[in-house]
């Protein structure tokens, strides 16, 4: 081999060696980049999974709290509705007492609350026609038995109540209607009634 050819061959050999070294280095860098990319991608994936799980847990927690609040509101609404229904039913039952018990109850009440014994008793239309005078007469008997004035009278015009009566004298009014009596009980018994109803709802 001539000198020139040897030089060319040597140059080619060195060039090939350098090219291979560069190629190996490039492949190494590429592998490192690929590995780094895979690691970064995995880390990003893991991070997204964790964030997604945390977001799902937070969403679940919010939904659960909202559901619990709605459930409590529903129970409270049902309880309040039942309380209203219960006291409305109490008014009806009071107004629907048997005649003798009805007369005795409100006559005794009139005798107890009368201040002068000369007040005018106002009834609803049905009671005025059917019970009014009997209640007034019985109340007057009770007042007289106590040594008090017993001159309660029945008004000619009815008032808009379900049952019971209203005493009026000199512009002073004492409401002893069935609605008012139950309303007074409502203020003192509503919590007790609500608790009983709530326990029934849970059964």
């Amino acid at each position: 081999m001539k000198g020139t050819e040897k030089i060319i061959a040597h140059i080619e050999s060195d060039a090939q060696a350098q090219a291979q070294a560069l190629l190996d280095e490039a492949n190494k860098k590429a592998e490192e980049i690929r590995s780094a990319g895979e690691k970064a991608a995995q880390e990003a994936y893991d991070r997204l999974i964790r964030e997604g799980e945390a977001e799902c847990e937070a969403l679940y927690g919010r939904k659960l709290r909202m559901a619990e609040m709605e459930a409590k509101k529903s129970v409270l609404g049902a309880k309040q509705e039942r309380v209203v229904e219960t006291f409305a039913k109490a008014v009806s039952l009071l107004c629907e007492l048997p005649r003798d018990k009805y007369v005795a109850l409100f006559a005794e009440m009139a005798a107890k609350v009368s201040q002068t014994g000369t007040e005018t008793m106002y009834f609803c239309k049905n009671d005025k026609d059917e019970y009014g005078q009997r209640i007034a007469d019985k109340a007057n008997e009770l007042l007289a038995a106590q040594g008090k004035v017993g001159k309660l009278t029945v008004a000619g015009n009815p008032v808009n109540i379900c049952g019971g009566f209203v005493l009026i004298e000199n512009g002073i009014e004492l409401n002893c209607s069935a609605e008012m009596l139950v309303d007074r009980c409502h203020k003192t018994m509503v919590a007790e009634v609500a608790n009983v109803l709530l326990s029934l709802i849970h059964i």
Side-chain angles (χ1 to χ4, degrees):
M1 182 180 293
K2 296 180 180 180
T4 302
E5 293 175 347
K6 287 181 179 182
I7 292 171
I8 291 173
H10 182 70
I11 291 172
E12 288 178 348
S13 177
D14 286 346
Q16 289 177 355
Q18 290 179 8
Q20 186 62 48
L22 290 172
L23 182 59
D24 292 342
E25 183 66 20
N27 288 332
K28 181 180 178 181
K29 291 290 185 183
E31 180 62 24
E32 290 175 352
I33 292 172
R34 185 185 64 78
S35 296
E38 288 180 352
K39 182 179 180 182
Q42 184 64 44
E43 290 176 349
Y45 172 79
D46 292 342
R47 186 183 69 256
L48 290 173
I49 290 296
R50 288 193 301 272
E51 291 175 352
E53 289 175 345
E55 185 175 348
C56 287
E57 289 178 1
L59 179 60
Y60 172 77
R62 289 196 298 271
K63 293 293 185 181
L64 181 60
R65 288 191 293 273
M66 289 176 61
E68 290 173 345
M69 289 176 61
E70 288 299 321
K72 289 179 180 178
K73 286 171 60 178
S74 296
V75 170
L76 179 60
K79 183 172 67 173
Q80 292 174 335
E81 184 177 340
R82 296 297 180 275
V83 167
V84 171
E85 291 175 357
T86 298
F87 282 101
K89 182 64 175 178
V91 173
S92 297
L93 291 175
L94 192 57
C95 293
E96 294 167 5
L97 282 173
R99 177 176 299 183
D100 290 342
K101 289 185 178 180
Y102 189 88
V103 171
L105 171 66
F106 287 107
E108 183 177 349
M109 187 175 299
K112 284 183 179 180
V113 301
S114 173
Q115 298 297 308
T116 65
T118 59
E119 295 96 338
T120 301
M121 300 185 74
Y122 288 78
F123 298 91
C124 66
K125 186 177 188 312
N126 182 67
D127 283 4
K128 181 181 76 68
D129 297 338
E130 190 170 356
Y131 304 124
Q133 194 58 55
R134 287 184 59 190
I135 293 174
D137 290 344
K138 181 66 176 177
N140 287 331
E141 290 177 10
L142 294 171
L143 287 168
Q146 299 171 24
K148 300 177 181 179
V149 175
K151 294 184 179 180
L152 299 176
T153 57
V154 178
N157 54 307
V159 290
N160 186 26
I161 58 176
C162 172
F165 61 90
V166 178
L167 280 184
I168 299 179
E169 185 174 59
N170 298 325
I172 299 175
E173 177 179 313
L174 183 59
N175 190 338
C176 292
S177 65
E179 298 96 311
M180 183 59 67
L181 295 175
V182 171
D183 185 63
R184 290 171 185 164
C185 292
H186 180 284
K187 293 173 181 176
T188 58
M189 295 178 61
V190 62
E192 181 180 350
V193 172
N195 288 333
V196 172
L197 291 173
L198 185 59
S199 67
L200 294 176
I201 291 173
H202 287 164
I203 294 176

